[in-house]
Amino acid sequence: DTGVSQDPRHKITKRGQNVTFRCDPISEHNRLYWYRQTLGQGPEFLTYFQNEAQLEKSRLLSDRFSAERPKGSFSTLEIQRTEQGDSAMYLCASSSFSGTSGSSYNEQFFGPGTRLTVL
Amino acid sequence: AQTVTQSQPEMSVQEAETVTLSCTYDTSENNYYLFWYKQPPSRQMILVIRQEAYKQQNATENRFSVNFQKAAKSFSLKISDSQLGDTAMYFCALPLGTSYGKLTFGQGTILTVHP
């Protein structure tokens, strides 16, 4: 399977615990995005990387959230001191970007998501 | 700021019939793309169809077509000959710029296809 993979698929944790999610993008893709989706809503952008550089973080990404993509391949999203409001589906997507302004849009391919439940 | 609005939380259709899902958006960009994504129950999101704003011709992909009204900032999805496998949550999405890629999604429409 050469699609985007995420691990774990489900995570149940107690309030105050730390959790870490992993995303493996499609191998040739240089861009990687994290989104959060709450029940019945559309995904909301959290952050994105181009290669190993984190180029933007949403205001939704509080200080308790940190994301890394150390070698420009897989990425991790860590949530410290989880709160019940963090319960959501965390989606990862990847795409290729050539760097040419105005070039054809490169489709984002989504992973299956990690569903986090904070008790 | 970009916004995407889907005003139909739920829709249903009989198998083999046609259904149209609505989407309106707001952007200050002049050249942009618009997308419809499909998220089946417990499965990952996939791109259904895309429209480039500078193209006047509406995009078509097999049974899926769009009605793009740039001046009205409206972007509806028509599904013809609906199939049971079309049952899913559908999202309208707008990327920021033509190369940036960050997507703004609507709230989604749950489509149920009945046999």
Side-chain angles (χ1 to χ4, degrees), chain B residues 6 8-11 21-22 88-91 107-111:
Chain B
Q6 293 177 249
Q8 303 157 314
E10 295 186 42
M11 295 279 287
L21 309 183
S22 302
M89 186 88 148
Y90 286 82
F91 294 99
Q107 302 91 326
T109 297
I110 299 172
L111 175 67

Side-chain angles (χ1 to χ4, degrees), chain B residues 5-6 17 48 51 53 58 64 73 75 86 107:
Chain B
T5 303
Q6 293 177 249
E17 294 189 346
V48 173
Q51 174 76 43
N58 289 323
F64 298 87
K73 293 185 177 175
F75 181 59
D86 294 334
Q107 302 91 326

Side-chain angles (χ1 to χ4, degrees), chain A residues 34-94:
Chain A
W34 285 100
Y35 295 86
R36 182 172 70 186
Q37 184 179 21
T38 53
L39 199 61
Q41 299 296 314
E44 296 174 293
F45 170 79
L46 292 178
T47 187
Y48 92 100
F49 294 83
Q50 183 161 309
N51 299 314
E52 65 275 9
Q54 187 174 19
L55 297 188
E56 184 176 345
K57 295 194 294 185
S58 162
R59 295 174 196 174
L60 293 174
L61 216 64
S62 75
D63 292 344
R64 297 184 296 105
F65 288 72
S66 63
E68 294 183 341
R69 195 183 182 198
K71 297 182 180 179
S73 56
F74 73 92
S75 175
T76 57
L77 178 67
E78 180 183 18
I79 309 174
Q80 296 182 327
R81 305 181 303 282
T82 52
E83 301 173 356
Q84 288 185 326
D86 297 331
S87 295
M89 177 77 87
Y90 290 84
L91 297 172
C92 176
S94 70

Side-chain angles (χ1 to χ4, degrees), chain B residues 36-91:
Chain B
W36 279 98
Y37 277 88
K38 170 185 177 181
Q39 188 176 39
S42 302
R43 294 178 59 188
Q44 58 209 79
M45 190 145 27
I46 57 173
L47 181 64
V48 173
I49 195 166
R50 78 173 72 176
Q51 174 76 43
E52 297 176 67
Y54 70 89
K55 290 187 176 179
Q56 294 186 344
Q57 186 174 6
N58 289 323
T60 300
E61 287 286 342
N62 300 314
R63 299 181 295 106
F64 298 87
S65 62
V66 301
N67 183 4
F68 174 51
Q69 303 289 328
K70 189 174 183 180
K73 293 185 177 175
S74 169
F75 181 59
S76 61
L77 174 69
K78 185 172 83 171
I79 306 174
S80 303
D81 185 25
S82 297
Q83 300 175 0
L84 296 178
D86 294 334
T87 292
M89 186 88 148
Y90 286 82
F91 294 99

